Amino acid sequence: MANIHAGLGTSHIPLLGRIIDIGDSAKPDWTPVFSGFEFTKQWIQKQAPDVIILVYNDHATTFDMKFIPTFAIGCAEEFKPADEGYGARPVPIVKGAPELAWHLTEQLILNGFDMTVVNEMDVDHGLTVPLSMVFGQVEKWPCRVIPLAVNTVVYPAPTGERCLALGKALRKAIEQFPAELNVQVWGTGGMSHQLLGERAGLINQPWDISFMDRLKDNATELAKISQEQYIRESGTEGSEMVMWLIMRGALNRVKEVHRHYHVPVSNTALGHIIFEEEELP
Ligand code: DHB
Ligand code: FE
């Protein structure tokens, strides 16, 4: 049986992908940012997941006003890094896990989550930057990745409650898959930021910290936050944080084993958290 015992949340700041790609991440100026991922790099080697279900949002890269799936799942063998205007990032092709992805699709749809199946999809910084933050510069990604894209760009995005419930349904579906696989769910995006308009540059540190504080034990409370409230308090793109609730929903009782929060780094507050499930007594 496939199993899931851990997950993480992280921002997906494009600038940090670029810093890794040009080999500058060890430079002293960047220490306050990347040192917060040193623990994670060791941790992921010990965890050695076979598959990561990587919850992210496409930033009008593959999906645009022609198609806006609320929840999309990548069922293909592989996904290429997208060209977001400056050429594709020099990172490995993302290898999918089609058998598990189709199984998840079946179970999620039968349980009322009408996933959009995507068989051809270039993946943007929302997916590739978290992989780089955790695995660094590598020849190939050390595990399979199932992209799970959530619309957080165009109103109305799915509610927090829906995202938390999707996480729970994901867990059930993972546990029904017959192969012995160590699976993780990652929630990406956020934290507070607004890229455009009069409030561009907005960062709300107390909001971010309160969100991280409550994620472990009060996710149902966080799930009540509406997209409007995220936008008001944490900026238009702060609403990406709803994707962390999918990760949280996929895990039972957890302990927080690592946290990193840093401002200033970009337009975005950098947030990162790792959860492991508590052993049953
Ligand atoms: C930035 C952050 C994002 O989440 C994003 O999608 C694009 C840009 C930023 O920090 O600049
Ligand atoms: Fe983003």
Side-chain angles (χ1 to χ4, degrees):
M1 233 180 52
N3 60 76
I4 165 162
H5 297 301
L8 64 78
T10 181
S11 312
H12 56 220
I13 299 173
L15 170 67
L16 299 183
R18 176 72 186 154
I19 295 304
I20 294 169
D21 294 344
I22 62 175
D24 275 2
S25 59
K27 291 203 168 152
D29 281 356
W30 293 103
T31 304
V33 170
F34 289 104
S35 60
F37 285 80
E38 284 308 313
F39 175 92
T40 313
K41 290 200 155 96
Q42 313 262 325
W43 177 84
I44 201 74
Q45 292 214 350
K46 277 187 249 141
Q47 291 280 321
D50 299 300
V51 183
I52 295 162
I53 299 169
L54 205 154
V55 181
Y56 77 111
N57 66 296
D58 177 87
H59 300 74
T61 305
T62 293
F63 305 132
D64 55 23
M65 290 309 275
K66 269 194 280 184
F67 306 101
I68 307 167
T70 299
F71 294 123
I73 182 162
C75 292
E77 284 286 352
E78 58 181 41
F79 306 90
K80 288 202 293 293
D83 180 350
E84 298 180 57
Y86 301 92
R89 288 189 61 211
V91 292
I93 285 184
V94 173
K95 297 289 183 184
E99 270 190 45
L100 176 59
W102 277 107
H103 163 83
L104 297 176
T105 303
E106 177 190 27
Q107 290 307 312
L108 290 173
I109 291 178
L110 293 178
N111 280 299
F113 290 90
D114 300 322
M115 309 299 291
T116 298
V117 172
V118 188
N119 289 316
E120 214 182 294
M121 170 164 69
D122 289 354
V123 285
D124 75 8
H125 68 271
L127 184 136
T128 62
V129 168
L131 288 175
S132 297
M133 298 299 290
V134 174
F135 294 118
Q137 257 182 323
V138 288
E139 296 262 303
K140 60 181 204 144
W141 301 121
C143 62
R144 302 261 163 181
V145 176
I146 297 176
L148 199 164
V150 179
N151 167 40
T152 62
V153 173
V154 180
Y155 183 87
T159 63
E161 276 165 351
R162 192 74 176 141
C163 288
L164 195 63
L166 174 62
K168 290 181 182 164
L170 254 183
R171 184 200 182 83
K172 254 205 234 158
I174 292 165
E175 291 184 330
Q176 283 164 358
F177 191 65
E180 283 289 330
L181 290 175
N182 176 13
V183 180
Q184 287 189 353
V185 177
W186 291 10
T188 69
M191 299 200 95
S192 56
H193 64 300
Q194 170 145 345
L195 300 178
L196 300 170
E198 278 177 22
R199 298 200 310 161
L202 178 145
I203 284 180
N204 183 344
Q205 298 194 40
W207 168 276
D208 292 336
I209 288 161
S210 163
F211 186 92
M212 285 176 135
D213 286 345
R214 288 185 285 168
L215 193 56
K216 178 165 101 61
D217 291 325
N218 288 312
T220 46
E221 195 182 297
L222 293 178
K224 296 198 178 86
I225 300 169
S226 66
Q227 191 178 9
E228 293 90 325
Q229 218 175 332
Y230 277 113
I231 291 171
R232 199 179 306 118
E233 300 290 340
S234 66
T236 40
E237 281 78 23
S239 64
E240 290 178 346
M241 266 184 271
V242 81
M243 296 183 287
W244 293 37
L245 293 174
I246 297 179
M247 175 274 285
R248 182 64 192 92
L251 297 170
N252 290 335
R253 252 164 64 109
V254 288
K255 55 183 184 239
E256 182 181 319
V257 295
H258 182 61
R259 187 195 288 208
H260 178 48
Y261 183 78
H262 183 76
V263 178
V265 54
S266 181
N267 303 297
T268 307
L270 171 67
H272 171 40
I273 204 160
I274 301 181
F275 289 135
E276 276 177 27
E277 286 193 347
E278 300 225 35
E279 311 269 328
L280 289 176

